[in-house]
PDB file of all heavy atoms in Angstrom:
ATOM      1  N   ASN A 114      24.852  -9.157 -37.131  1.00 62.00           N
ATOM      2  CA  ASN A 114      25.900  -8.774 -36.194  1.00 62.00           C
ATOM      3  C   ASN A 114      26.244  -9.980 -35.347  1.00 62.00           C
ATOM      4  O   ASN A 114      25.307 -10.569 -34.748  1.00 62.00           O
ATOM      5  CB  ASN A 114      25.446  -7.619 -35.348  1.00 62.00           C
ATOM      6  CG  ASN A 114      26.555  -7.032 -34.458  1.00 62.00           C
ATOM      7  OD1 ASN A 114      27.563  -7.611 -34.340  1.00 62.00           O
ATOM      8  ND2 ASN A 114      26.289  -5.899 -33.858  1.00 62.00           N
ATOM      9  N   GLU A 115      27.485 -10.337 -35.160  1.00 57.00           N
ATOM     10  CA  GLU A 115      27.820 -11.564 -34.463  1.00 57.00           C
ATOM     11  C   GLU A 115      27.472 -11.334 -33.015  1.00 57.00           C
ATOM     12  O   GLU A 115      27.342 -12.346 -32.243  1.00 57.00           O
ATOM     13  CB  GLU A 115      29.308 -11.791 -34.638  1.00 57.00           C
ATOM     14  CG  GLU A 115      29.658 -12.278 -36.047  1.00 57.00           C
ATOM     15  CD  GLU A 115      29.024 -13.623 -36.446  1.00 57.00           C
ATOM     16  OE1 GLU A 115      28.737 -14.460 -35.573  1.00 57.00           O
ATOM     17  OE2 GLU A 115      28.613 -13.856 -37.569  1.00 57.00           O
ATOM     18  N   ASP A 116      27.522 -10.053 -32.434  1.00 55.00           N
ATOM     19  CA  ASP A 116      27.275  -9.899 -31.064  1.00 55.00           C
ATOM     20  C   ASP A 116      25.771 -10.178 -30.732  1.00 55.00           C
ATOM     21  O   ASP A 116      25.475 -10.268 -29.521  1.00 55.00           O
ATOM     22  CB  ASP A 116      27.573  -8.380 -30.634  1.00 55.00           C
ATOM     23  CG  ASP A 116      29.091  -8.136 -30.849  1.00 55.00           C
ATOM     24  OD1 ASP A 116      29.866  -9.025 -30.849  1.00 55.00           O
ATOM     25  OD2 ASP A 116      29.414  -6.908 -31.083  1.00 55.00           O
ATOM     26  N   GLN A 117      24.905 -10.317 -31.677  1.00 57.00           N
ATOM     27  CA  GLN A 117      23.552 -10.486 -31.420  1.00 57.00           C
ATOM     28  C   GLN A 117      23.225 -11.925 -31.296  1.00 57.00           C
ATOM     29  O   GLN A 117      22.073 -12.302 -31.124  1.00 57.00           O
ATOM     30  CB  GLN A 117      22.687  -9.912 -32.487  1.00 57.00           C
ATOM     31  CG  GLN A 117      22.749  -8.390 -32.662  1.00 57.00           C
ATOM     32  CD  GLN A 117      21.745  -7.830 -33.724  1.00 57.00           C
ATOM     33  OE1 GLN A 117      21.095  -8.588 -34.326  1.00 57.00           O
ATOM     34  NE2 GLN A 117      21.870  -6.475 -33.917  1.00 57.00           N
ATOM     35  N   LYS A 118      24.206 -12.842 -31.318  1.00 67.00           N
ATOM     36  CA  LYS A 118      23.898 -14.188 -31.191  1.00 67.00           C
ATOM     37  C   LYS A 118      23.677 -14.769 -29.781  1.00 67.00           C
ATOM     38  O   LYS A 118      23.346 -15.886 -29.575  1.00 67.00           O
ATOM     39  CB  LYS A 118      25.088 -15.073 -31.835  1.00 67.00           C
ATOM     40  CG  LYS A 118      25.096 -14.957 -33.357  1.00 67.00           C
ATOM     41  CD  LYS A 118      25.968 -15.927 -34.035  1.00 67.00           C
ATOM     42  CE  LYS A 118      25.867 -15.901 -35.484  1.00 67.00           C
ATOM     43  NZ  LYS A 118      26.615 -17.052 -36.183  1.00 67.00           N
ATOM     44  N   GLU A 119      23.957 -13.841 -28.833  1.00 82.00           N
ATOM     45  CA  GLU A 119      23.580 -14.084 -27.374  1.00 82.00           C
ATOM     46  C   GLU A 119      22.108 -14.029 -27.273  1.00 82.00           C
ATOM     47  O   GLU A 119      21.477 -13.042 -27.763  1.00 82.00           O
ATOM     48  CB  GLU A 119      24.235 -13.191 -26.469  1.00 82.00           C
ATOM     49  CG  GLU A 119      25.803 -13.334 -26.467  1.00 82.00           C
ATOM     50  CD  GLU A 119      26.421 -12.438 -25.425  1.00 82.00           C
ATOM     51  OE1 GLU A 119      25.637 -11.884 -24.582  1.00 82.00           O
ATOM     52  OE2 GLU A 119      27.646 -12.185 -25.490  1.00 82.00           O
ATOM     53  N   VAL A 120      21.440 -15.005 -26.585  1.00 86.00           N
ATOM     54  CA  VAL A 120      19.939 -15.094 -26.538  1.00 86.00           C
ATOM     55  C   VAL A 120      19.517 -15.003 -25.047  1.00 86.00           C
ATOM     56  O   VAL A 120      20.082 -15.613 -24.279  1.00 86.00           O
ATOM     57  CB  VAL A 120      19.485 -16.426 -27.249  1.00 86.00           C
ATOM     58  CG1 VAL A 120      17.985 -16.538 -27.098  1.00 86.00           C
ATOM     59  CG2 VAL A 120      19.863 -16.458 -28.700  1.00 86.00           C
ATOM     60  N   VAL A 121      18.527 -14.238 -24.914  1.00 89.00           N
ATOM     61  CA  VAL A 121      17.754 -14.200 -23.626  1.00 89.00           C
ATOM     62  C   VAL A 121      16.333 -14.680 -23.918  1.00 89.00           C
ATOM     63  O   VAL A 121      15.600 -14.094 -24.671  1.00 89.00           O
ATOM     64  CB  VAL A 121      17.762 -12.845 -23.012  1.00 89.00           C
ATOM     65  CG1 VAL A 121      16.894 -12.816 -21.708  1.00 89.00           C
ATOM     66  CG2 VAL A 121      19.128 -12.331 -22.681  1.00 89.00           C
ATOM     67  N   LEU A 122      15.947 -15.821 -23.246  1.00 91.00           N
ATOM     68  CA  LEU A 122      14.672 -16.438 -23.512  1.00 91.00           C
ATOM     69  C   LEU A 122      13.706 -15.929 -22.379  1.00 91.00           C
ATOM     70  O   LEU A 122      13.928 -16.165 -21.156  1.00 91.00           O
ATOM     71  CB  LEU A 122      14.789 -17.913 -23.508  1.00 91.00           C
ATOM     72  CG  LEU A 122      13.684 -18.727 -24.000  1.00 91.00           C
ATOM     73  CD1 LEU A 122      13.379 -18.431 -25.492  1.00 91.00           C
ATOM     74  CD2 LEU A 122      13.954 -20.211 -23.856  1.00 91.00           C
ATOM     75  N   VAL A 123      12.661 -15.170 -22.833  1.00 92.00           N
ATOM     76  CA  VAL A 123      11.732 -14.602 -21.907  1.00 92.00           C
ATOM     77  C   VAL A 123      10.332 -15.325 -22.084  1.00 92.00           C
ATOM     78  O   VAL A 123       9.787 -15.229 -23.141  1.00 92.00           O
ATOM     79  CB  VAL A 123      11.533 -13.130 -22.043  1.00 92.00           C
ATOM     80  CG1 VAL A 123      10.522 -12.508 -21.074  1.00 92.00           C
ATOM     81  CG2 VAL A 123      12.861 -12.390 -21.978  1.00 92.00           C
ATOM     82  N   TYR A 124       9.972 -16.011 -21.017  1.00 92.00           N
ATOM     83  CA  TYR A 124       8.576 -16.637 -21.079  1.00 92.00           C
ATOM     84  C   TYR A 124       7.551 -15.585 -20.605  1.00 92.00           C
ATOM     85  O   TYR A 124       7.734 -14.852 -19.697  1.00 92.00           O
ATOM     86  CB  TYR A 124       8.542 -17.938 -20.146  1.00 92.00           C
ATOM     87  CG  TYR A 124       9.538 -18.967 -20.484  1.00 92.00           C
ATOM     88  CD1 TYR A 124      10.779 -18.963 -19.848  1.00 92.00           C
ATOM     89  CD2 TYR A 124       9.358 -19.870 -21.451  1.00 92.00           C
ATOM     90  CE1 TYR A 124      11.780 -19.964 -20.068  1.00 92.00           C
ATOM     91  CE2 TYR A 124      10.321 -20.846 -21.762  1.00 92.00           C
ATOM     92  CZ  TYR A 124      11.458 -20.947 -21.196  1.00 92.00           C
ATOM     93  OH  TYR A 124      12.391 -21.846 -21.405  1.00 92.00           O
ATOM     94  N   TYR A 125       6.337 -15.801 -21.220  1.00 92.00           N
ATOM     95  CA  TYR A 125       5.212 -14.877 -20.886  1.00 92.00           C
ATOM     96  C   TYR A 125       3.866 -15.624 -21.123  1.00 92.00           C
ATOM     97  O   TYR A 125       3.862 -16.593 -21.824  1.00 92.00           O
ATOM     98  CB  TYR A 125       5.238 -13.592 -21.813  1.00 92.00           C
ATOM     99  CG  TYR A 125       4.882 -13.764 -23.126  1.00 92.00           C
ATOM    100  CD1 TYR A 125       3.544 -13.546 -23.594  1.00 92.00           C
ATOM    101  CD2 TYR A 125       5.757 -14.128 -24.167  1.00 92.00           C
ATOM    102  CE1 TYR A 125       3.155 -13.641 -24.951  1.00 92.00           C
ATOM    103  CE2 TYR A 125       5.503 -14.261 -25.532  1.00 92.00           C
ATOM    104  CZ  TYR A 125       4.183 -13.990 -25.848  1.00 92.00           C
ATOM    105  OH  TYR A 125       3.757 -14.196 -27.141  1.00 92.00           O
ATOM    106  N   ASP A 126       2.945 -15.150 -20.317  1.00 91.00           N
ATOM    107  CA  ASP A 126       1.598 -15.735 -20.357  1.00 91.00           C
ATOM    108  C   ASP A 126       0.817 -14.958 -21.504  1.00 91.00           C
ATOM    109  O   ASP A 126       0.492 -13.812 -21.289  1.00 91.00           O
ATOM    110  CB  ASP A 126       0.910 -15.578 -19.028  1.00 91.00           C
ATOM    111  CG  ASP A 126      -0.345 -16.377 -18.944  1.00 91.00           C
ATOM    112  OD1 ASP A 126      -1.066 -16.562 -20.043  1.00 91.00           O
ATOM    113  OD2 ASP A 126      -0.759 -16.898 -17.956  1.00 91.00           O
ATOM    114  N   GLU A 127       0.620 -15.689 -22.574  1.00 90.00           N
ATOM    115  CA  GLU A 127      -0.002 -14.971 -23.819  1.00 90.00           C
ATOM    116  C   GLU A 127      -1.441 -14.491 -23.549  1.00 90.00           C
ATOM    117  O   GLU A 127      -1.878 -13.433 -23.986  1.00 90.00           O
ATOM    118  CB  GLU A 127       0.004 -15.956 -25.028  1.00 90.00           C
ATOM    119  CG  GLU A 127      -0.213 -15.241 -26.339  1.00 90.00           C
ATOM    120  CD  GLU A 127       0.075 -16.210 -27.495  1.00 90.00           C
ATOM    121  OE1 GLU A 127      -0.458 -17.367 -27.426  1.00 90.00           O
ATOM    122  OE2 GLU A 127       0.801 -15.783 -28.365  1.00 90.00           O
ATOM    123  N   ARG A 128      -2.206 -15.297 -22.759  1.00 89.00           N
ATOM    124  CA  ARG A 128      -3.549 -15.041 -22.466  1.00 89.00           C
ATOM    125  C   ARG A 128      -3.653 -13.661 -21.615  1.00 89.00           C
ATOM    126  O   ARG A 128      -4.494 -12.828 -21.897  1.00 89.00           O
ATOM    127  CB  ARG A 128      -4.234 -16.133 -21.697  1.00 89.00           C
ATOM    128  CG  ARG A 128      -5.710 -15.872 -21.234  1.00 89.00           C
ATOM    129  CD  ARG A 128      -6.246 -17.055 -20.573  1.00 89.00           C
ATOM    130  NE  ARG A 128      -7.619 -16.786 -20.006  1.00 89.00           N
ATOM    131  CZ  ARG A 128      -7.983 -16.213 -19.018  1.00 89.00           C
ATOM    132  NH1 ARG A 128      -6.952 -15.783 -18.121  1.00 89.00           N
ATOM    133  NH2 ARG A 128      -9.109 -15.960 -18.608  1.00 89.00           N
ATOM    134  N   LYS A 129      -2.792 -13.642 -20.594  1.00 90.00           N
ATOM    135  CA  LYS A 129      -2.869 -12.411 -19.736  1.00 90.00           C
ATOM    136  C   LYS A 129      -2.368 -11.203 -20.555  1.00 90.00           C
ATOM    137  O   LYS A 129      -3.093 -10.048 -20.411  1.00 90.00           O
ATOM    138  CB  LYS A 129      -1.981 -12.586 -18.587  1.00 90.00           C
ATOM    139  CG  LYS A 129      -2.530 -13.609 -17.557  1.00 90.00           C
ATOM    140  CD  LYS A 129      -1.585 -13.668 -16.338  1.00 90.00           C
ATOM    141  CE  LYS A 129      -2.225 -14.677 -15.319  1.00 90.00           C
ATOM    142  NZ  LYS A 129      -1.404 -14.800 -14.134  1.00 90.00           N
ATOM    143  N   LEU A 130      -1.437 -11.272 -21.438  1.00 90.00           N
ATOM    144  CA  LEU A 130      -0.962 -10.084 -22.223  1.00 90.00           C
ATOM    145  C   LEU A 130      -2.058  -9.654 -23.178  1.00 90.00           C
ATOM    146  O   LEU A 130      -2.195  -8.521 -23.451  1.00 90.00           O
ATOM    147  CB  LEU A 130       0.280 -10.398 -22.930  1.00 90.00           C
ATOM    148  CG  LEU A 130       1.593  -9.811 -22.298  1.00 90.00           C
ATOM    149  CD1 LEU A 130       1.892 -10.467 -20.976  1.00 90.00           C
ATOM    150  CD2 LEU A 130       2.754  -9.963 -23.245  1.00 90.00           C
ATOM    151  N   MET A 131      -2.833 -10.761 -23.653  1.00 89.00           N
ATOM    152  CA  MET A 131      -3.826 -10.449 -24.657  1.00 89.00           C
ATOM    153  C   MET A 131      -4.988  -9.577 -24.070  1.00 89.00           C
ATOM    154  O   MET A 131      -5.498  -8.737 -24.633  1.00 89.00           O
ATOM    155  CB  MET A 131      -4.362 -11.737 -25.293  1.00 89.00           C
ATOM    156  CG  MET A 131      -5.496 -11.576 -26.260  1.00 89.00           C
ATOM    157  SD  MET A 131      -5.040 -10.775 -27.782  1.00 89.00           S
ATOM    158  CE  MET A 131      -6.475 -10.322 -28.406  1.00 89.00           C
ATOM    159  N   LEU A 132      -5.230 -10.009 -22.797  1.00 88.00           N
ATOM    160  CA  LEU A 132      -6.447  -9.415 -22.112  1.00 88.00           C
ATOM    161  C   LEU A 132      -6.150  -8.182 -21.313  1.00 88.00           C
ATOM    162  O   LEU A 132      -7.061  -7.462 -20.793  1.00 88.00           O
ATOM    163  CB  LEU A 132      -7.112 -10.414 -21.226  1.00 88.00           C
ATOM    164  CG  LEU A 132      -7.627 -11.715 -21.918  1.00 88.00           C
ATOM    165  CD1 LEU A 132      -8.218 -12.666 -20.926  1.00 88.00           C
ATOM    166  CD2 LEU A 132      -8.753 -11.342 -22.959  1.00 88.00           C
ATOM    167  N   SER A 133      -4.806  -7.860 -21.136  1.00 89.00           N
ATOM    168  CA  SER A 133      -4.451  -6.806 -20.287  1.00 89.00           C
ATOM    169  C   SER A 133      -4.356  -5.412 -21.018  1.00 89.00           C
ATOM    170  O   SER A 133      -4.131  -5.514 -22.269  1.00 89.00           O
ATOM    171  CB  SER A 133      -3.116  -7.045 -19.524  1.00 89.00           C
ATOM    172  OG  SER A 133      -2.148  -7.172 -20.493  1.00 89.00           O
ATOM    173  N   GLU A 134      -4.366  -4.362 -20.241  1.00 87.00           N
ATOM    174  CA  GLU A 134      -4.183  -3.075 -20.822  1.00 87.00           C
ATOM    175  C   GLU A 134      -3.022  -2.308 -20.096  1.00 87.00           C
ATOM    176  O   GLU A 134      -3.029  -2.217 -18.870  1.00 87.00           O
ATOM    177  CB  GLU A 134      -5.415  -2.166 -20.688  1.00 87.00           C
ATOM    178  CG  GLU A 134      -5.379  -0.814 -21.145  1.00 87.00           C
ATOM    179  CD  GLU A 134      -5.194  -0.681 -22.730  1.00 87.00           C
ATOM    180  OE1 GLU A 134      -5.599  -1.692 -23.332  1.00 87.00           O
ATOM    181  OE2 GLU A 134      -4.708   0.380 -23.131  1.00 87.00           O
ATOM    182  N   LEU A 135      -2.007  -2.009 -20.845  1.00 85.00           N
ATOM    183  CA  LEU A 135      -0.806  -1.466 -20.197  1.00 85.00           C
ATOM    184  C   LEU A 135      -0.869  -0.046 -19.898  1.00 85.00           C
ATOM    185  O   LEU A 135      -1.362   0.851 -20.768  1.00 85.00           O
ATOM    186  CB  LEU A 135       0.414  -1.700 -21.126  1.00 85.00           C
ATOM    187  CG  LEU A 135       1.731  -1.458 -20.490  1.00 85.00           C
ATOM    188  CD1 LEU A 135       2.043  -2.333 -19.234  1.00 85.00           C
ATOM    189  CD2 LEU A 135       2.819  -1.608 -21.567  1.00 85.00           C
ATOM    190  N   HIS A 136      -0.550   0.437 -18.658  1.00 80.00           N
ATOM    191  CA  HIS A 136      -0.679   1.816 -18.287  1.00 80.00           C
ATOM    192  C   HIS A 136       0.870   2.307 -17.819  1.00 80.00           C
ATOM    193  O   HIS A 136       1.707   1.509 -17.543  1.00 80.00           O
ATOM    194  CB  HIS A 136      -1.538   2.066 -17.128  1.00 80.00           C
ATOM    195  CG  HIS A 136      -3.000   1.670 -17.250  1.00 80.00           C
ATOM    196  ND1 HIS A 136      -3.293   0.276 -17.312  1.00 80.00           N
ATOM    197  CD2 HIS A 136      -4.078   2.264 -17.466  1.00 80.00           C
ATOM    198  CE1 HIS A 136      -4.583   0.213 -17.572  1.00 80.00           C
ATOM    199  NE2 HIS A 136      -5.147   1.420 -17.611  1.00 80.00           N
ATOM    200  N   SER A 137       0.982   3.645 -17.885  1.00 69.00           N
ATOM    201  CA  SER A 137       2.292   4.235 -17.327  1.00 69.00           C
ATOM    202  C   SER A 137       3.453   3.706 -18.033  1.00 69.00           C
ATOM    203  O   SER A 137       4.573   3.667 -17.348  1.00 69.00           O
ATOM    204  CB  SER A 137       2.223   4.046 -15.806  1.00 69.00           C
ATOM    205  OG  SER A 137       1.057   4.552 -15.224  1.00 69.00           O
ATOM    206  N   VAL A 138       3.429   3.473 -19.253  1.00 69.00           N
ATOM    207  CA  VAL A 138       4.733   2.966 -19.995  1.00 69.00           C
ATOM    208  C   VAL A 138       4.856   3.738 -21.198  1.00 69.00           C
ATOM    209  O   VAL A 138       3.757   3.998 -21.935  1.00 69.00           O
ATOM    210  CB  VAL A 138       4.547   1.465 -20.205  1.00 69.00           C
ATOM    211  CG1 VAL A 138       5.794   0.995 -21.077  1.00 69.00           C
ATOM    212  CG2 VAL A 138       4.525   0.552 -18.961  1.00 69.00           C
TER     213      VAL A 138
END
Side-chain angles (χ1 to χ4, degrees):
N114 190 349
E115 292 297 326
D116 296 336
Q117 293 183 6
K118 289 194 174 183
E119 295 184 14
V120 177
V121 177
L122 196 58
V123 181
Y124 299 98
Y125 72 95
D126 192 326
E127 195 170 50
R128 177 179 178 274
K129 290 184 178 180
L130 256 69
M131 177 68 197
L132 299 176
S133 65
E134 180 69 21
L135 190 62
H136 302 74
S137 306
V138 175

